[in-house]
Structure formats: structure tokens, C-alpha cells
Amino acid sequence: MRPTARRQGVTLLEVVLALTLVTALIGSLLAMYDHVLGTKRHIFSDIEKISTRRFIMERLTDELRGAMVYPFLNIGMDGQAQSVRFMTASIPGKAAWAIRGATDDPIPPEQDMGLVGYGVRIVEDEETGEMIVVGLERTYQKTISRVNVGGEQIESVLLTRDFKFIRFRFWDGAEWQESYSGGEMPVAVEIAIGEEALPE
């Protein structure tokens, strides 16, 4: 009897089956990788929004803690539901505390009081004429005098485009008010920030 020869090599069906399995495995790995990247982008976006919200709230809270009545101009707090303006005192910057030599230039004077405002920045769309909320804005006026209290020398900074809603309420000691004005400070201020402007 003749010994049977062993078969060497693979059939076409085995090659097609192996390629199909490898392709399916690579496709599932790529889909999982894409999902992980999308989740990572979403998480980083959320972290950035939370950090921005925390920065705005901390800055606004610090400036509200330094809020004061400026009797010379009878300025206290002037606020509406979507904007607020108040006098605040701040600590001078690092340059004011630096030790200077006799030959160094003098330190420029720093104003420790300023008129601060927060609200939403609204612009008009040139094509449609609609009003569009761009984001949250902070205004700051360093030098306060009777001459320029109307708006000269005001720095305006767009804090973020992520948040397009801010709401203030003012506690007068008895109830919450939607607006506040006068030469006094409210007992408390409630602040709400959101990503989208609420409908009217």
C-alpha cells in the first residue's frame, strides 16, 4: 500500500475566511478607537466649559465682595436681570509692591477702585438685522470722575462665547428683586449662568 501524501497549503475558502475575520477585527478596533476619541473630545469640551464657568463665577464673586458705595458720585450698584454695574475696590498689582532702586523708573499709579459691569454682548446681524447674543462680557473703567462716568476709557472684554445667558437677582433684605439701583448695596446678589439664552 502506498502512503497518502499530506496536503500542504490552504484553500481559497480558508483565505477568504481569514481575511474576513481580520477585516472585521480591524473595523471593530477602528470603530472603538473613534468612539474613544469622540468621548475624549466631549469630556475635554465639558471640562473647558466648567473651568470657564468657575473662572467667571470666581472673578464676579471676588469683585462683588469688594463692591462698595462711592459717595462722591453716589454710585452703588445698578443692576437689571441681564446686566449689573457696580463700584469695586481691588488690591494693586505686583508692580506696586516691588522694591525699586533710586535709578529705576517710578511705578505708574494704580487706581484701586473701578466701575465694573457684567452682561451679555449683543450684536446685530448685518444680513438679517436680527440681534445675536455673542457671549458674556465684562467692562471695567479704571478712572472714575464726574467727567468720564458716562463711558469714556472703558475696557470691554468678551469673557467667553460658550455661555450666552446670565441672570441677576438682588435681595433687598425683604424679597428678591429683578432690578436694583441707587447709592446703596443690596444684601445679596444671585447669579445664574447658562450656555443658551432663555426664550422671552
Side-chain angles (χ1 to χ4, degrees), residues 138-188:
R138 176 185 182 267
T139 58
Y140 184 73
Q141 186 175 347
K142 290 182 183 179
T143 308
I144 306 299
S145 68
R146 290 188 191 278
V147 177
N148 64 8
V149 78
E152 298 173 15
Q153 300 176 352
I154 293 179
E155 299 172 11
S156 177
V157 176
L158 184 65
L159 295 174
T160 180
R161 292 180 181 272
D162 291 334
F163 298 100
K164 295 180 169 56
F165 171 77
I166 191 165
R167 175 138 341 235
F168 298 97
R169 290 196 322 157
F170 309 92
W171 179 256
D172 64 1
E175 61 183 340
W176 288 103
Q177 302 289 332
E178 294 295 320
S179 64
Y180 193 89
S181 63
E184 297 181 9
M185 302 303 294
V187 177

Side-chain angles (χ1 to χ4, degrees), residues 5-80:
R6 289 196 164 191
R7 193 179 84 191
Q8 302 203 358
V10 292
T11 64
L12 180 61
L13 180 62
E14 292 171 336
V15 170
V16 169
L17 185 61
L19 286 175
T20 304
L21 289 174
V22 168
T23 304
L25 181 63
I26 290 173
S28 63
L29 287 174
L30 287 175
M32 189 172 77
Y33 180 72
D34 187 49
H35 176 70
V36 168
L37 278 182
T39 303
K40 181 180 173 184
R41 271 188 244 111
H42 182 68
I43 289 171
F44 281 149
S45 173
D46 286 349
I47 289 171
E48 186 176 335
K49 287 179 183 177
I50 290 169
S51 298
T52 302
R53 182 180 299 150
R54 181 175 293 145
F55 166 75
I56 292 170
M57 291 299 284
E58 285 177 0
R59 185 168 194 177
L60 185 51
T61 302
D62 287 344
E63 289 179 339
L64 279 170
R65 284 186 181 134
M68 57 183 277
V69 176
Y70 193 55
F72 178 65
L73 296 173
N74 195 27
I75 297 175
M77 181 173 287
D78 184 23
Q80 304 298 319

Side-chain angles (χ1 to χ4, degrees), residues 60 63-64 67 76-77 84-88 114-116 118 185:
L60 185 51
E63 289 179 339
L64 279 170
M77 181 173 287
V84 68
R85 193 174 80 145
F86 55 92
M87 288 293 300
T88 187
L115 188 60
V116 177
Y118 285 88
M185 302 303 294

Side-chain angles (χ1 to χ4, degrees), residues 117-130:
Y118 285 88
V120 290
R121 182 182 287 183
I122 300 174
V123 297
E124 184 178 349
D125 187 0
E126 294 176 1
E127 295 176 5
T128 63
E130 292 182 24

